[in-house]
Every structure is written in structure tokens, then in C-alpha cells.
Amino acid sequence: MVLLLAIAGAFWSGWPRPLRLGLLAAAAAFALLSLGFETSGLGRFLPYRALYELVPGWSSVRVPTRLHTFTTLALALLAAGGAASVLARVRGRRGLTAVACVLLVAAVLAEGAGFGPGRWYPHPEAPPAPAGLAGLADPLLSLPVAAADNRRYLLWSTDGFPRMVNGRSSITPARTTSLLADMTGFPDAASVDALRRLGVRTVVLHTDRLAGTPWAVWRERSLDGLGVKRRLAGRLVVYEIS
């Protein structure tokens, strides 16, 4: 619907021709740039490569597809012109104008919802948080800490927003990298000391995600002399650091 309105806006004489052509050119240019480039085949000749190699600082743009934001912005402006052209045709007929406004807004909202009815575009279901996770004493650390794990922990942390070591970013701070390297032997003296220095009060092992990780053998690791208490809470192993 937005694309149809954008096309209509491109031909609407109510806006200056240079403006319409400029928006069309911007939409096309950013759509092309958002493709990035490839190192072989025809993709080598895409214009993004020239910017990447010649413009200072351009190589720091890690995700070319983010430029598509400007494509959608240009199309949205053109769509606004298209909507105005539709309303201009029914101007003076109050009832018809109101109906047209409602239908245009409803159509755009339905298209932009991202998920359709039935089995074609079902809304994805977020993994439910384990029982007993909310309300644990923070700051806390959840293990394991692979990227897929941390995404879940961040989602679940919206229930109460506890302070936590876990996070997700394309760039991991050196301090975090060093701390997590110390956690492979948890619970042992080195890992517990590192957590105490940081002020972490709780460590949580998610037992359904431990296969193939250093913590899969958690039952075999002694707590003697560590000042740490361990308890089970459903599929969680909760360590309380005193």
C-alpha cells in the first residue's frame, strides 16, 4: 500500500516536480547502496564499493542494509503525497473524505504490522522465562554466555530489570571478556573471587543450555571453602555468593 501511494505521490502535481524527482532519486540511490557489495561476480561493481574504498570513514559502516532506512523515509514522504492526491480527488465531499482518511490509515497500519493472519506470517513467540528467574538478588550473571544465550537473558531481564553482567553487542569490552574467561571453571576460587570483586551476588546456570559447555559438569564441582551456596530452582541452578 505504501509503495502504491509513493507511486501516486511521484506523479502528484500538488508537489513541485524537483521535490518529487529528488525523493525518487534518494529512494533509488539508498536502495542500491543498501545492497553493499561482493568480492566476486557482478556484486563487485555495486556503487557501495567505491564509497567503501575511497571515502574516509565509510569502511566503519558495518551493515550497509541500515542505509535502507533512508529509502523507507523517502518512500514514506512520497506516500504522504500520494495520500494527499487521493484526498484531493474527494475534496468537498465531507463523508467521502472521512471514509478515505480512515481507509488509508487502516491500510497503512495493516501493512506495517509486519505479521498477517493465519500461517503465512505468524507472530514469533518469545521463549518464556524460567520459573524462579525473576526476583533473584542482583547483580547477577547467567551462564552459559553465548550470543544466543545472552539475547534470551536480556529479553527476560525486562521483568524487573535486574543489574546483570550479561549483555549483547557486536563489540565486547575487554573487562567483560576477561571476566567471562575466568568463569569457565565456575565455581572455583578464581571465578568466585572475580565475581566478588565485581559485586556479583548471584550466578545462574540454565541447565537446558549447558550441553557442550564447561558448566555441564556442575554437579562434580565442589563448593568447599568458597563461601557459595547452591540450590535448584526448576531448570535453574542458583549460586548465592556471600
Side-chain angles (χ1 to χ4, degrees):
M1 184 64 188
V2 171
L3 184 58
L4 291 176
L5 288 174
I7 294 173
F11 291 97
W12 184 44
S13 59
W15 277 4
R17 190 166 181 265
L19 175 60
R20 289 179 279 134
L21 292 177
L23 289 173
L24 278 173
F30 282 112
L32 187 60
L33 288 174
S34 69
L35 298 176
F37 71 93
E38 298 177 349
T39 57
S40 61
L42 294 177
R44 294 175 297 171
F45 306 107
L46 288 170
Y48 188 92
R49 182 164 190 169
L51 295 174
Y52 185 88
E53 294 181 348
L54 299 177
V55 178
W58 199 271
S59 59
S60 64
V61 180
R62 297 183 302 103
V63 186
T65 50
R66 290 174 180 168
L67 292 172
H68 202 63
T69 301
F70 298 105
T71 304
T72 58
L73 177 59
L75 290 176
L77 292 172
L78 284 170
S85 70
V86 172
L87 296 178
R89 295 176 181 274
V90 296
R91 184 176 301 161
R93 288 173 279 184
R94 183 175 302 176
L96 193 56
T97 301
V99 171
C101 287
V102 171
L103 290 177
L104 285 172
V105 171
V108 171
L109 289 177
E111 181 183 52
F115 306 100
R119 58 187 175 85
W120 293 282
Y121 297 102
H123 196 293
E125 295 184 3
L133 182 61
L136 294 177
D138 66 346
L140 60 85
L141 167 67
S142 285
L143 298 173
V145 288
D149 303 314
N150 283 329
R151 291 189 185 101
R152 291 181 178 232
Y153 305 151
L154 288 173
L155 173 64
W156 296 336
S157 72
T158 57
D159 184 3
F161 294 98
R163 293 171 295 170
M164 57 194 297
V165 177
N166 303 84
R168 181 71 187 100
S169 173
S170 299
I171 301 174
T172 304
R175 183 183 184 186
T176 304
T177 300
S178 176
L179 176 69
L180 295 180
D182 291 337
M183 292 303 107
T184 56
F186 181 86
D188 60 7
S191 60
V192 171
D193 287 344
L195 291 170
R196 280 201 180 99
R197 288 195 300 270
L198 193 61
V200 174
R201 299 172 60 193
T202 307
V203 176
V204 184
L205 295 187
H206 296 257
T207 58
D208 59 326
R209 308 184 69 79
L210 294 182
T213 73
W215 306 283
V217 294
W218 62 270
R219 293 180 180 85
E220 303 172 12
R221 294 184 174 179
S222 173
L223 300 179
D224 293 343
L226 296 177
V228 175
K229 296 180 181 179
R230 182 175 64 198
R231 62 183 175 86
L232 298 180
R235 67 174 188 259
L236 303 179
V237 183
V238 179
Y239 293 85
E240 298 170 351
I241 301 175
S242 58

